[in-house]
Amino acid sequence: MNRRNFLRTGTLAAGLALPALARATAASATPAAGAAFAPTPETGWRRFELTTRIEPLAADGATRVWVPLPAMNEADWQRPMGSLWQGNADYMTLVRDASGTEMLYAEWAPGSAVPQLEVVSRFATRDRAVDFSHPHAEPLRLPPAQHAHYTRATALLPTDGIVGDTARDIVRGAKTDEDKARAIYDWIVDNTFRDPKVRGCGTGDIRTMLETGDLAGKCADLNALFVGLARAAGLPARDVYGLRVADSRFGYKSLGKSGNVSKGQHCRAEVFLERFGWVPVDPADVRKVVLEEPPGQLSIVDPKVIVVRKRLFGAWEMNWLAYNDAHDLKLPHSTGDEVPFLMYPQGEANGERFDSLDPDAFRYTLTATELG
């Protein structure tokens, strides 16, 4: 089956909703390259299309694939607009679990000659920026079930032992939840490092990081450390797992990715503060700027670092999509272990998992396009 026939004969499984979205059109809405890093919702909504193509090797046994879909529907900063899928799998269905995580599940019977799958998702995003000078007049509260959910421990995010001890040391003397969150954020920026040798985005094993004193890692490590320490300090917090889909509009080479984004996965974090609600943070990207922003190995007091450090407590540039905030997922129909998070396509054949961090061997590509 050639590429053209594949596209023509695939099975349509879900419609693409295309709501009208207001977009800023003034020249000032799009910052020029090199402009100060200043995400703001005033720049309006942007629409994107993400295409996931998977062609796993044929296997003697059943072949299964799970593709994460944009599932976080947040009125202020992300609106999923639906997904289409087509391919020659024997079974394809959308799965939404109790956490709200959405994925496409596809299965090929043993001996399928040329497994093929394509998923097209559309979504709209808008930059986030919290104005800390304008708190809510009355304290905000999460419903009790959500508060319990976002302060709980998970397999890789314990809140006791060294995690709890470290959190107490960091927030000692902090008077408000905002003070606590800022103290944890600053501690992560000052004490961790981005390690380019870590595969993918890391694993997020924060107890091991603290016990060994090895505080190097990537986004799923460093931002997970923020989430775990925040929860240990009594603050609701969550990892948000997603994908970079466009270059940064502010000229930061390290803070964007466009076109082929197969290796553009990025985990961010949020903390719930009673005067502001969910607040976006990203200490891992501060360390990414330090390591990767040209000419590389910047000082923590370099102007490029100072500005992103200030902004990434309370702001996200939304050249990025959010898949979900789930931990410890059991993939439906899988014979393998739980996955700590779902940010990469997953697959298995003959009871063995594919390496989701090696798209060339797994044989998948992710391509992002901004829609006019």
Side-chain angles (χ1 to χ4, degrees):
M1 179 182 293
N2 63 33
R3 176 70 182 158
R4 178 173 297 177
N5 287 337
F6 168 53
L7 289 174
R8 286 180 175 174
T9 60
T11 302
L12 181 65
L16 281 174
L18 298 174
L21 297 174
R23 298 191 66 194
T25 57
S28 60
T30 303
F37 187 80
T40 171
E42 294 178 3
T43 56
W45 290 89
R46 305 168 70 181
R47 293 190 303 146
F48 296 93
E49 181 174 278
L50 176 68
T51 301
T52 302
R53 296 186 179 96
I54 300 182
E55 297 181 344
L57 293 173
D60 294 334
T63 299
R64 300 180 177 90
V65 163
W66 299 263
V67 179
L69 303 176
M72 296 196 73
N73 192 343
E74 302 287 344
D76 291 337
W77 54 272
Q78 178 166 291
R79 300 176 183 176
M81 297 163 62
S83 295
L84 293 163
W85 49 89
Q86 54 190 351
N88 58 5
D90 296 281
Y91 181 69
M92 294 183 287
T93 188
L94 184 148
V95 176
R96 183 180 178 89
D97 73 5
S99 72
T101 300
E102 288 187 0
M103 66 192 83
L104 176 68
Y105 171 67
E107 182 176 327
W108 291 262
S112 297
V114 187
Q116 295 176 320
L117 175 66
E118 179 174 278
V119 184
V120 179
S121 298
R122 288 186 178 181
F123 53 94
T125 69
R126 184 170 67 171
D127 286 358
R128 304 179 68 183
V130 175
D131 185 350
F132 289 102
S133 68
H134 287 82
H136 284 267
E138 298 295 331
L140 302 173
R141 297 283 188 266
L142 283 174
Q146 288 189 29
H147 187 279
H149 181 77
Y150 290 118
T151 53
R152 79 194 194 285
T154 72
L156 293 179
L157 293 179
T159 55
D160 60 355
I162 193 170
V163 179
D165 293 342
T166 303
R168 283 188 289 274
D169 288 342
I170 293 170
V171 303
R172 185 173 289 116
K175 294 184 172 24
T176 68
D177 59 356
E178 182 184 341
D179 292 340
K180 292 178 182 179
R182 287 185 180 276
I184 294 168
Y185 175 88
D186 285 335
W187 186 89
I188 298 233
V189 171
D190 288 335
N191 290 280
T192 67
F193 300 89
R194 181 174 173 85
D195 183 354
K197 299 186 298 297
V198 169
R199 295 192 73 224
C201 291
T203 61
D205 185 355
I206 66 171
R207 187 191 298 277
T208 297
M209 292 173 68
L210 292 171
E211 287 179 344
T212 62
D214 182 359
L215 300 182
K218 287 188 179 174
C219 57
D221 302 309
L222 308 190
N223 285 338
L225 188 56
F226 175 89
V227 171
L229 291 170
R231 291 185 180 188
L235 305 177
R238 60 187 183 185
D239 293 291
V240 186
Y241 297 101
L243 182 75
R244 301 188 200 267
V245 293
D247 297 330
S248 173
R249 293 180 296 170
F250 302 101
Y252 279 77
K253 302 297 184 183
S254 58
L255 298 184
K257 197 164 185 68
S258 59
N260 186 336
V261 294
S262 303
K263 296 184 178 181
Q265 288 79 11
H266 181 53
C267 165
R268 287 176 159 173
E270 289 181 295
V271 60
F272 190 88
L273 304 180
E274 65 177 18
R275 298 197 303 161
F276 302 101
W278 283 111
V279 171
V281 300
D282 198 341
D285 260 358
V286 181
R287 298 307 313 192
K288 193 172 196 290
V289 167
V290 169
L291 179 68
E292 297 182 6
E293 194 62 27
Q297 299 291 350
L298 300 181
S299 164
I300 196 69
V301 294
D302 185 283
K304 292 181 181 179
V305 178
I306 290 174
V307 68
V308 296
R309 177 175 186 160
K310 179 180 179 181
R311 296 290 184 179
L312 287 177
F313 186 96
W316 287 345
E317 182 185 3
M318 286 301 296
N319 56 337
W320 171 86
L321 78 85
Y323 285 128
N324 58 72
D325 63 8
H327 290 271
D328 305 336
L329 289 98
K330 177 65 177 176
L331 299 175
H333 309 292
S334 173
T335 58
D337 296 334
E338 291 181 340
V339 293
F341 46 78
L342 185 63
M343 185 164 49
Y344 297 83
Q346 300 285 334
E348 65 185 30
N350 302 323
E352 295 186 7
R353 285 274 168 84
F354 299 138
D355 183 354
S356 63
L357 304 184
D358 187 350
D360 293 333
F362 187 168
R363 295 176 54 171
Y364 70 80
T365 58
L366 308 178
T367 306
T369 304
E370 184 164 6
L371 304 176

